[in-house]
Amino acid sequence: MNLISIPAFEDNYIWVLVDDARRCVIVDPGESAPVLRAINENDWLPEAILLTHHHNDHTGGVQELCAHFPHLVVYGPAETQNKGTTQVVEEGENILIREWEFSVFATPGHTLGHLCFYSKPYLFCGDTLFSGGCGRLFEGTPEQMYQSLQKISTLPDDTLICCAHEYTLGNMKFAVSLLPEDRAIQDYYHKVKELRAKNQNTLPVILKNERQINLFLRTDDIDLINKINQETNLQQPEQRFAWLRSKKDNFR
């Protein structure tokens, strides 16, 4: 299987899994034009669409894709029913599409109904986890997002995190501002700067590495706790997560 990322809008990625027979599964098509272009150029045969949540930059291309390929099954959470979803799925379900099997699990926080889809080694996590960061809390609580990230963090080390946005450089600037002496964070920040200077993708990323450089996965890390305790004394990891998310929201 081949994993393809299709750029969309300013910083979105639409992910496509393609097998040797050119059959493909499309994840979060926020717009249809770049997907249709890639389908035509590569003679892909679309089988299904996966939607992680209801935001338009993840669902806006569904209607036109389904108009071109009426057989497409669109899997998504209940919150995407008015966005073109034809089969609602939820936590604990498994989806079988040809040779692909996807485990579905709920990751509320960015939206209340947000889902992730996992087919080893690929995790399509929408706007829950980004490299070096996590999604904004538009609907859920910090506690919900913390638990969602903990769920992701239990996946195998070699999991490929397929995030939906190229936010890595900004996230790493934030991480460096908090822990400037952290070697793993510093090294990754410089690597990301070099990649983005050449307009190269930073995604997907490996979960094992992400646990080292993503502060939102390090709420029990002693260096981060000491940093937070310079401003406030928070005992619970959920509280430290909420502090981090608030700091990031206001970081420029």
Side-chain angles (χ1 to χ4, degrees), residues 132-137 142 146 149 171 174-175 177-179 185 213-221 223-225 227-228 231-232 234 236-251:
C134 71
R136 285 181 177 266
L137 305 179
Y146 171 79
L149 295 182
N171 289 335
F174 172 68
S177 75
L178 284 184
L179 295 182
I185 286 175
I213 58 86
N214 192 322
L215 297 182
F216 294 94
L217 299 179
R218 289 176 50 177
T219 49
D220 285 324
D221 180 89
D223 291 334
L224 183 58
I225 292 172
K227 175 66 178 182
I228 294 172
E231 296 189 23
T232 183
L234 302 175
Q236 300 301 319
E238 294 92 334
Q239 295 173 318
R240 294 191 287 270
F241 172 84
W243 183 92
L244 275 176
R245 186 60 260 180
S246 178
K247 279 283 187 184
K248 181 62 171 65
D249 287 345
N250 297 295
F251 180 76

Side-chain angles (χ1 to χ4, degrees), residues 6-7 14 16 24 26 29 31-46 49 60-70 72:
I6 300 175
I14 300 166
V16 184
C24 69
I26 304 159
E31 57 178 339
S32 60
V35 180
L36 289 170
R37 186 161 55 248
I39 289 170
N40 291 331
E41 289 175 356
N42 297 284
D43 294 323
W44 290 342
L45 305 168
I49 293 173
V62 171
Q63 185 174 358
E64 187 169 352
L65 287 171
C66 289
H68 281 81
F69 306 99
L72 282 177

Side-chain angles (χ1 to χ4, degrees), residues 43-149:
D43 294 323
W44 290 342
L45 305 168
E47 293 281 336
I49 293 173
L50 305 179
L51 300 179
T52 59
H53 64 292
H54 66 81
H55 288 159
N56 285 337
D57 64 321
H58 294 251
T59 62
V62 171
Q63 185 174 358
E64 187 169 352
L65 287 171
C66 289
H68 281 81
F69 306 99
H71 67 282
L72 282 177
V73 181
V74 183
Y75 300 91
E79 66 177 35
T80 60
Q81 282 181 285
N82 65 342
K83 302 289 187 173
T85 287
T86 59
Q87 185 162 333
V88 172
V89 290
E90 57 187 23
E91 167 93 33
E93 290 191 49
N94 290 314
I95 302 169
L96 187 61
I97 306 167
R98 296 287 184 172
E99 70 271 34
W100 294 293
E101 184 172 4
F102 295 91
S103 301
V104 181
F105 53 96
T107 52
H110 183 67
T111 68
L112 288 176
H114 199 295
L115 298 178
C116 289
F117 299 91
Y118 175 65
S119 181
K120 185 176 176 64
Y122 307 108
L123 177 73
F124 298 102
C125 56
D127 287 356
T128 297
L129 181 68
F130 299 123
S131 185
C134 71
R136 285 181 177 266
L137 305 179
F138 288 119
E139 297 175 13
T141 65
E143 292 77 17
Q144 286 177 315
M145 182 64 100
Y146 171 79
Q147 293 299 332
S148 294
L149 295 182

